[in-house]
Amino acid sequence: MTQQRRDLVDHVFQQHDHFDADDLIERLPPKTESGCVSRPTVYRTLVELVDAGLLRKMDLEGRAVYEHDYGYPQHDHLYCTGCHSLIEFRSDELVNMRKTLAKNHDFRVTGHRLIITGLCRNCQTARRRTRRRVDMI
Amino acid sequence: MTQQRRDLVDHVFQQHDHFDADDLIERLPPKTESGCVSRPTVYRTLVELVDAGLLRKMDLEGRAVYEHDYGYPQHDHLYCTGCHSLIEFRSDELVNMRKTLAKNHDFRVTGHRLIITGLCRNCQTARRRTRRRVDMI
DNA sequence: CTAGGTGCAAAATATTTGCACTGGT
DNA sequence: ACCAGTGCAAATATTTTGCACCTAG
C-alpha cells in the first residue's frame, strides 16, 4: 500500500461516478501534494481494482470507463450521445430475461452489459436551441 | 464503385457472421486476384457501410466488430469468453423495456447494445476436461 | 533487507489521416 | 480530363511492458 495507490483509491471512491484513466490522471495532480501519479501506475492500479471486484470496467466508444462495483447494486446505463453522460437504471426484467436465455441456450452467464443510446432530456432541447458543446465529464 | 470496394462488399455479405477489420483483411488476399486491399481502405469502407446502414458496429474488448444490419432483424448477443464466439438472440421484452425506460427518463432512444457474457455449451465442458487454448482467429 | 511498486521511455494495438497517384466514368 | 478512391507512411489514441530505481514493511 503506497502513497500513490492511496491517492488513487481515495479519489476513485470519493464519489460514485463514471471515469476513464485520463479523467483520473487529470483530477489527481491538483489534489495531491505528492505530485501526480504516473500513467502506467494508474492503469496498473485500475486493473487491480477491477480484479479485486472494487471497480467495474466497460468499453465505451473504444475507451475503458470505470465505475464502482463493490457494494453497488447491479444496474445498466442510458448513454447520451449529446453530453456523453451515463444515466444508471435498474431492471429486474433484464435479470429474469438473462436467466431464461441462459437456460434456453445452455449458456453459463457470468455477466452482461446493456447500454441504451440516445439523447437525454437536456440534449434534446439543447439541440433544438443551439449547437451544444460536446465537452465531457 | 471500385474493384476494392466490390471485393470488400462481396466478402462481407457472403455469409452472415461477425468480423473485425483484421478478419476481413486476412480473408481477402487469397480470394482475390487483384492483390489485397489496403488497411486504410478497409477501415474507410467499413465506416461507409456502417453509415449507409448496411453494417452494424459494436465494441468488443476494445476492438470494433461488425455484422450485417440491413435486412436483418434486431437482436442481441451472448458472448462466450471461452471461444470468443457471438450467439445471437432476439427478445421482444427488451424492446418493451427500452420503451418504458425512455418514457420514464424522458430519454430519446436511438439504439441499444446488450451483450451477455459467459461460457457456451462447448466451452463449459471443454473447461472441465482440458485446459482449452484461447487462440484467436 | 527485499519484494513489490513506481516512473520513464518505448512498445504494442487499433484506427485515422495527409498526400500524391491512379483508375473509373 | 476529373474526381472519388487508393496505398503508403506517418500520425493518433489508448493501453501495456521492460527495466532500473525506490520505498514500505
Side-chain angles (χ1 to χ4, degrees), chain A residues 78-94:
Chain A
L78 301 172
Y79 175 61
C80 175
T81 52
C83 59
H84 297 172
S85 61
L86 285 165
I87 301 156
E88 301 182 359
F89 70 87
R90 296 227 269 146
S91 170
D92 297 325
E93 281 183 73
L94 190 53

Side-chain angles (χ1 to χ4, degrees), chain A residues 16-18 56 58 66-78 86-92 94-95 98 112-115, chain B residues 114:
Chain A
H16 182 65
D17 59 356
H18 304 87
R56 292 222 299 167
M58 71 184 112
Y66 300 85
E67 67 177 352
H68 297 174
D69 187 6
Y70 183 78
Y72 270 85
Q74 105 100 74
H75 59 270
D76 289 281
H77 299 93
L78 301 172
L86 285 165
I87 301 156
E88 301 182 359
F89 70 87
R90 296 227 269 146
S91 170
D92 297 325
L94 190 53
V95 177
R98 221 178 79 163
H112 78 263
R113 198 112 262 169
L114 169 61
I115 293 183
Chain B
L114 169 61

Side-chain angles (χ1 to χ4, degrees), chain B residues 9-136:
Chain B
V9 171
D10 283 352
H11 284 284
V12 163
F13 292 101
Q14 243 165 38
Q15 70 255 332
H16 182 66
D17 58 359
H18 304 87
F19 60 91
D20 61 22
D22 254 2
D23 293 336
L24 206 47
I25 289 163
E26 280 161 30
R27 280 188 230 156
L28 269 162
K31 298 190 174 181
T32 59
E33 66 302 307
S34 49
C36 66
V37 179
S38 73
R39 192 169 291 274
T41 295
V42 169
Y43 278 103
R44 281 187 282 233
T45 305
L46 285 173
V47 169
E48 287 180 44
L49 292 177
V50 169
D51 288 347
L54 296 175
L55 291 181
R56 291 222 300 166
K57 177 184 178 177
M58 71 183 112
D59 285 316
L60 199 54
E61 297 179 336
R63 311 157 83 247
V65 176
Y66 301 85
E67 67 177 352
H68 296 173
D69 187 6
Y70 184 78
Y72 271 85
Q74 104 104 68
H75 59 269
D76 289 281
H77 300 92
L78 302 172
Y79 175 62
C80 175
T81 52
C83 58
H84 298 170
S85 61
L86 285 165
I87 302 157
E88 300 181 358
F89 70 86
R90 295 227 268 146
S91 170
D92 295 325
E93 283 182 73
L94 189 53
V95 178
N96 292 333
M97 187 198 309
R98 223 179 76 163
K99 280 205 192 83
T100 307
L101 277 162
K103 188 164 300 179
N104 291 347
H105 289 268
D106 199 0
F107 192 84
R108 185 184 302 159
V109 173
T110 56
H112 78 263
R113 198 112 265 167
L114 169 61
I115 293 184
I116 298 179
T117 305
L119 285 178
C120 71
R121 186 175 5 238
N122 285 341
C123 290
Q124 285 172 46
T125 55
R127 160 164 290 183
R128 277 188 226 105
R129 272 203 292 281
T130 170
R131 188 99 309 261
R132 76 219 176 289
R133 291 184 295 144
V134 187
D135 46 20
M136 72 260 69

Side-chain angles (χ1 to χ4, degrees), chain A:
Chain A
M1 203 27 72
T2 61
Q3 188 56 42
Q4 287 92 326
R5 293 201 175 178
R6 213 182 317 279
D7 287 351
L8 279 172
V9 171
D10 283 353
H11 284 282
V12 162
F13 292 102
Q14 241 165 39
Q15 70 255 334
H16 182 65
D17 59 356
H18 304 87
F19 61 90
D20 62 21
D22 253 2
D23 293 336
L24 206 46
I25 290 163
E26 279 161 31
R27 280 188 232 158
L28 269 162
K31 298 191 175 184
T32 60
E33 66 302 308
S34 51
C36 67
V37 180
S38 71
R39 192 167 291 274
T41 295
V42 169
Y43 278 103
R44 280 186 285 232
T45 305
L46 285 174
V47 168
E48 288 178 46
L49 291 177
V50 170
D51 289 347
L54 295 175
L55 291 182
R56 292 222 299 167
K57 177 184 179 178
M58 71 184 112
D59 285 316
L60 199 55
E61 297 178 339
R63 314 160 80 249
V65 176
Y66 300 85
E67 67 177 352
H68 297 174
D69 187 6
Y70 183 78
Y72 270 85
Q74 105 100 74
H75 59 270
D76 289 281
H77 299 93
L78 301 172
Y79 175 61
C80 175
T81 52
C83 59
H84 297 172
S85 61
L86 285 165
I87 301 156
E88 301 182 359
F89 70 87
R90 296 227 269 146
S91 170
D92 297 325
E93 281 183 73
L94 190 53
V95 177
N96 292 333
M97 187 198 308
R98 221 178 79 163
K99 281 205 192 81
T100 308
L101 278 162
K103 188 164 297 180
N104 291 347
H105 290 268
D106 200 359
F107 192 84
R108 186 184 303 160
V109 174
T110 56
H112 78 263
R113 198 112 262 169
L114 169 61
I115 293 183
I116 297 179
T117 305
L119 284 178
C120 70
R121 183 177 7 237
N122 284 342
C123 290
Q124 286 172 45
T125 55
R127 161 164 291 183
R128 278 186 225 105
R129 271 202 293 280
T130 170
R131 189 98 310 259
R132 77 219 173 288
R133 291 186 294 145
V134 188
D135 47 18
M136 72 258 72
I137 308 211

